[in-house]
Amino acid sequence: MFQVEHPMDDKREMVEKRVEDIKRKMRGMKKKILIKFGNKVCYDISVSQIDTLGLPALLIGRTPLCYFLSHLLGTETIENFFFYDEIEQLEVMSFETEEEQKNTLEEIFETFIKAGSEFEINIASKTKTKIKKGIEENDKNCYQSAKEHIINLLNPAFTQFIGGSLFPLMKKRLGERNYYTMKQISEAVSFLIEKLDEMFYTAEKASETTRPTLMRRIYILRKSIHILVERKFSVDFVDSIPMEELEATATTNVGFF
């Protein structure tokens, strides 16, 4: 029987190959600051590459990613990105012991898979069962099917992002180059933080019953974004709202800490 080749499969393979090539180059340039036309710049994914390669290209980016995360904050699906990002890191991690690896797999489960967890993602029960078995066997690849599912869930958000107001704004600010100045990076990170601030001020107006839960989520999001920014850019940002104040608000009447 002849096997029919599907053009969509060929396109997907092409995209995956190009994204992997870009990813390798970005890893090599991660800690480097280049000098272009007298300005300090960082190598990154370009807007035109995002136009051509879609979501996979955006997800490996740094500066453009800030605008996409700003969009995700408004859709309350940002946990999907953080899960994807966590598994991306897991794939390149080296563990000194099997115990260390298993502990990491269990931590991911507690954060994203366990019912009622802070960043619980929407996956089928059979996928959860498969993951549990994988953790028992200390299989580093036990989250792969969940990762693929989450990428599919991120696609509608990406389509909304492309068709909304943030993508043209990002395009205007970043241009078509594959490197960005410190000013462009600062603008992107600041834009993301402004969205977090908006969430905080909205939560402040919530009822006493729901406010602690909302503040708890904002605290965890902000902490996660601090870590992400530090890892992506090797810098951190100054909070307009002190983390200590936010943590104190988040823990009021909530027994998580």
Side-chain angles (χ1 to χ4, degrees):
M1 182 180 291
F2 293 103
Q3 185 175 357
V4 179
E5 293 186 2
H6 297 282
M8 288 299 293
D9 291 340
D10 292 341
K11 183 178 179 180
R12 181 178 177 180
E13 287 181 10
M14 180 274 292
V15 168
E16 288 176 352
K17 184 178 184 302
R18 287 190 61 186
V19 168
E20 281 301 316
D21 289 342
I22 295 169
K23 190 187 295 185
R24 279 193 293 271
K25 186 173 183 180
M26 287 181 66
R27 282 175 183 159
M29 303 288 285
K30 183 176 180 181
K31 298 297 182 182
K32 294 182 180 179
I33 296 178
L34 309 177
I35 304 296
K36 292 267 187 182
F37 310 115
N39 294 317
K40 291 181 179 180
V41 300
C42 287
Y43 181 79
D44 208 329
I45 201 80
S46 70
V47 176
S48 60
Q49 286 171 325
I50 295 170
D51 267 332
T52 303
L53 302 173
L55 178 64
L58 178 57
L59 289 176
I60 66 169
R62 297 168 189 156
T63 310
L65 185 63
C66 292
Y67 292 97
F68 184 54
L69 293 182
S70 299
H71 170 72
L72 290 182
L73 284 172
T75 64
E76 297 186 356
T77 58
I78 198 166
E79 60 270 13
N80 290 334
F81 166 77
F82 280 119
F83 173 75
Y84 163 85
D85 188 59
E86 193 74 31
I87 304 309
E88 281 283 294
Q89 293 178 71
L90 174 65
E91 290 171 0
V92 296
M93 281 182 183
S94 297
F95 298 97
E96 293 184 1
T97 64
E98 290 187 2
E99 182 182 5
E100 184 183 357
Q101 176 173 299
K102 191 168 186 179
N103 287 340
T104 300
L105 297 179
E106 289 173 344
E107 286 171 7
I108 294 172
F109 186 92
E110 289 291 318
T111 304
F112 296 100
I113 310 299
K114 185 179 177 180
S117 58
E118 294 295 347
F119 280 167
E120 183 182 0
I121 57 173
N122 184 17
I123 58 174
S125 57
K126 64 179 181 180
T127 305
K128 289 185 179 182
T129 302
K130 186 177 178 181
I131 290 171
K132 288 179 181 178
K133 183 179 179 182
I135 293 173
E136 289 174 3
E137 297 172 352
N138 206 4
D139 179 8
K140 190 179 178 182
N141 298 314
C142 65
Y143 288 105
Q144 282 306 306
S145 59
K147 177 188 170 185
E148 291 173 10
H149 173 68
I150 289 304
I151 290 174
N152 289 333
L153 291 184
L154 282 169
N155 270 311
F158 175 72
T159 301
Q160 292 172 359
F161 173 66
I162 293 293
S165 60
L166 285 188
F167 189 75
L169 174 66
M170 179 184 78
K171 202 167 187 176
K172 180 180 178 181
R173 288 185 175 183
L174 300 184
E176 297 293 339
R177 299 187 181 95
N178 64 344
Y179 55 85
Y180 305 118
T181 65
M182 298 298 108
K183 180 182 178 182
Q184 288 172 311
I185 293 169
S186 178
E187 281 182 343
V189 173
S190 296
F191 189 83
L192 176 57
I193 304 312
E194 286 171 10
K195 294 298 179 183
L196 282 172
D197 288 347
E198 289 174 13
M199 291 178 67
F200 174 80
Y201 295 127
T202 300
E204 272 193 323
K205 299 174 184 177
S207 68
E208 291 184 6
T209 306
T210 59
R211 189 186 307 131
T213 303
L214 292 173
M215 288 297 186
R216 163 79 179 171
R217 179 172 173 81
I218 293 168
Y219 170 74
I220 294 172
L221 281 172
R222 209 171 190 105
K223 190 174 181 180
S224 300
I225 288 173
H226 266 288
I227 294 169
L228 181 72
V229 168
E230 199 283 329
R231 179 163 51 82
K232 291 282 186 180
F233 301 109
S234 299
V235 297
D236 201 354
F237 58 87
V238 177
D239 270 299
S240 56
I241 303 164
M243 288 293 286
E244 295 80 5
E245 176 187 333
L246 187 55
E247 182 179 0
T249 308
T251 57
T252 304
N253 299 323
V254 180
F256 283 111
F257 286 90

